[in-house]
Amino acid sequence: MSGMTDHAELILDGTKIEWYRDRIEAWERGEKIAPITIDMALTRACNFACEYCYAMLQENDRKSITKQVMTDFMDDCAEIGVKGVSFVSDGESTIAPSFVHATQHGAKRGLSIAVGTNGFVLHGRKLEEILPHMTYVRINITAGERGRYSEIMGVKPEYFDRIKDNIREMVAIKKRDNLPVTIGMQMVLMPQYEDQILPLARLGKELRADYLVIKHCSDNEDGDLGVDYGGYKRLYDLLREAEALSDEEYAVKVKWSKIAAEGKRSYQRCYGPPFMIQLSGSGLVAPCGMLFNEKYKKFHIGNIVDNRFKDIWNSDKYWEVMSYLAGPNFNAQQMCGSLCLQHKVNEYLDAYQKGRVQLRDPEGSVPEHLSFV
């Protein structure tokens, strides 16, 4: 990975599924496998109104995820063999009352914990309470200039100043305590945000985050966000210029494979959810975020507010849904939105099923954040 001297093992555009050969083989034998990674939110609420927000398209019945629910959930994850839980889904988890407890309890149970957040409430005591237990914190910050940040993220301009201060504080605490946590920034790029690519890449360098990742914007199957996937091509030179700002301790990484895909899939079966599943901030367990909406009720497996996760995972319904997605009656090219969470895992497993890749133990050093495939 060019320009990533000290970050060679941080895979930001790809999947780490090949490091789980034993789980792939168990899945192929028809055994019940625990998800390696669970992406979830602790609430559907959010204190921002980002233009590119996919969560607005995912409305479903809301329930309250309490501290007790999260204690049980993390216990179940540890028991069945989940590796990592990331608070990245359809709500701003950091504003949920159960956030600090869930982070600390999950880490205590041996799980890797991560969060994707707007970062607004992450300062002071809250940072001190969570950073020692986090594998990574990723701040969604799609603009590098105050005015544009306000427009794109749907908040007052002064929020931008606070976010910058919060990132500085994270970096300072990490340095002070020599913590292994990775502090990243993320730009969800729509072609009309091209004016913010370089300002944001420079801002990340100034704030001394570990990386800035620039990714595509996902849309739903109806194209409700109106993402112009053909428009990314004209930005390639700008994106390479941004990557060139990387240095020994800061990496700018573009998710080239998804940006170049122009919203298209090469596969029809969805094999990813048994390895990597999503939960809504309502407690809903579904294969992925694209299926959270009420209209996809037949894919809704259960709710951790009502039932223990290990019982939901063990249920016939869970495995019936997984089998349907991986079977001949499902076509991800026609039935799904663009570039989903499991996209890279799906590409790999599809290639494996078609005999284009062989399962073998990967060579070279183990990548960072292995619990997040």
Side-chain angles (χ1 to χ4, degrees):
M1 293 166 80
S2 60
M4 292 189 67
T5 324
D6 279 349
H7 299 259
E9 291 156 5
L10 190 60
I11 296 175
L12 295 170
D13 181 19
T15 175
K16 299 179 273 284
I17 190 75
E18 60 189 310
W19 271 269
Y20 289 93
R21 180 178 172 174
D22 56 339
R23 225 170 276 214
I24 296 173
E25 289 170 342
W27 166 71
E28 209 171 20
R29 290 192 298 268
E31 296 173 23
K32 289 181 176 179
I33 59 161
I36 300 159
T37 308
I38 294 179
D39 262 28
M40 69 181 300
L42 295 171
T43 177
R44 285 268 303 134
C46 187
N47 47 355
F48 276 48
C50 305
E51 284 183 343
Y52 55 83
C53 183
Y54 195 99
M56 293 184 294
L57 312 174
Q58 297 168 315
E59 193 55 65
N60 56 77
D61 286 344
R62 298 192 185 199
K63 295 189 177 187
S64 183
I65 299 174
T66 62
K67 288 183 183 178
Q68 187 57 53
V69 168
M70 286 313 297
T71 298
D72 292 344
F73 178 79
M74 293 298 187
D75 288 348
D76 289 351
C77 286
E79 186 184 317
I80 68 173
V82 173
K83 299 292 185 186
V85 175
S86 51
F87 298 123
V88 183
S89 190
D90 58 346
E92 177 54 49
S93 291
T94 61
I95 64 175
S98 57
F99 173 64
V100 172
H101 169 75
T103 298
Q104 293 176 344
H105 189 71
K108 191 170 84 181
R109 291 308 312 265
L111 296 157
S112 297
I113 306 292
V115 65
T117 171
N118 56 46
F120 188 70
V121 301
L122 288 186
H123 55 91
R125 196 180 78 185
K126 197 169 258 192
L127 276 184
E128 301 281 0
E129 288 173 333
I130 64 152
L131 280 185
H133 309 288
M134 284 275 170
T135 298
Y136 71 79
V137 176
R138 192 179 63 225
I139 309 296
N140 294 315
I141 174 171
T142 292
E145 294 172 332
R146 202 169 185 260
R148 289 289 278 137
Y149 180 87
S150 174
E151 290 166 19
I152 294 168
M153 307 294 278
V155 291
K156 295 176 185 154
E158 51 266 32
Y159 278 38
F160 182 64
D161 309 323
R162 178 155 155 180
I163 299 300
K164 288 197 297 183
D165 288 345
N166 290 356
I167 295 171
R168 282 193 194 96
E169 191 178 358
M170 287 172 209
V171 172
I173 293 171
K174 170 182 169 155
K175 205 168 177 179
R176 181 195 75 198
D177 296 343
N178 198 23
L179 298 175
V181 63
T182 302
I183 296 165
M185 294 162 55
Q186 174 171 280
M187 177 182 205
V188 179
L189 179 63
M190 286 171 78
Q192 60 266 40
Y193 302 158
E194 64 184 292
D195 61 306
Q196 292 305 297
I197 293 170
L198 290 176
L200 187 53
R202 292 188 193 109
L203 179 64
K205 195 176 176 90
E206 176 199 323
L207 297 175
R208 302 315 298 161
D210 293 305
Y211 69 82
L212 166 69
V213 64
I214 301 174
K215 61 169 279 193
H216 62 287
C217 182
S218 296
D219 209 340
N220 70 350
E221 69 282 15
D222 298 323
D224 285 344
L225 293 179
V227 185
D228 170 19
Y229 287 109
Y232 284 123
K233 274 206 175 95
R234 71 169 191 271
L235 311 181
Y236 283 9
D237 288 344
L238 262 180
L239 291 169
R240 288 190 191 99
E241 199 180 329
E243 285 192 318
L245 290 168
S246 301
D247 59 38
E248 297 262 316
E249 293 164 347
Y250 168 65
V252 179
K253 180 69 188 160
V254 175
K255 283 198 174 188
W256 285 110
S257 72
K258 282 191 171 183
I259 281 176
E262 296 188 2
K264 301 183 185 78
R265 298 170 189 272
S266 59
Y267 55 86
Q268 295 175 334
R269 310 282 165 266
C270 180
Y271 299 124
F275 299 89
M276 188 183 198
I277 194 169
Q278 258 183 309
L279 273 65
S280 169
S282 65
L284 172 72
V285 180
C288 68
M290 292 189 176
L291 299 174
F292 285 166
N293 194 291
E294 278 302 296
K295 66 182 175 184
Y296 300 115
K297 219 171 176 65
K298 71 174 182 178
F299 297 107
H300 295 177
I301 303 163
N303 191 303
I304 59 167
V305 175
D306 303 325
N307 298 103
R308 291 288 292 249
F309 179 68
K310 65 181 174 187
D311 296 331
I312 295 171
W313 170 77
N314 229 335
S315 69
D316 289 344
K317 170 84 172 172
Y318 185 100
W319 294 102
E320 281 162 13
V321 169
M322 297 301 163
S323 297
Y324 176 77
L325 294 174
N329 295 322
F330 186 78
N331 185 339
Q333 290 171 338
Q334 294 170 0
M335 301 179 181
C336 293
S338 61
L339 302 171
C340 64
L341 175 79
Q342 291 97 341
H343 182 64
K344 300 307 290 184
V345 173
N346 275 330
E347 281 186 337
Y348 181 88
L349 293 172
D350 185 63
Y352 169 59
Q353 290 292 311
K354 291 172 177 167
R356 292 203 301 268
V357 298
Q358 305 300 314
L359 284 191
R360 56 174 179 266
D361 296 322
E363 294 168 9
S365 55
V366 176
E368 287 189 52
H369 308 172
L370 193 60
S371 301
F372 304 99
V373 291

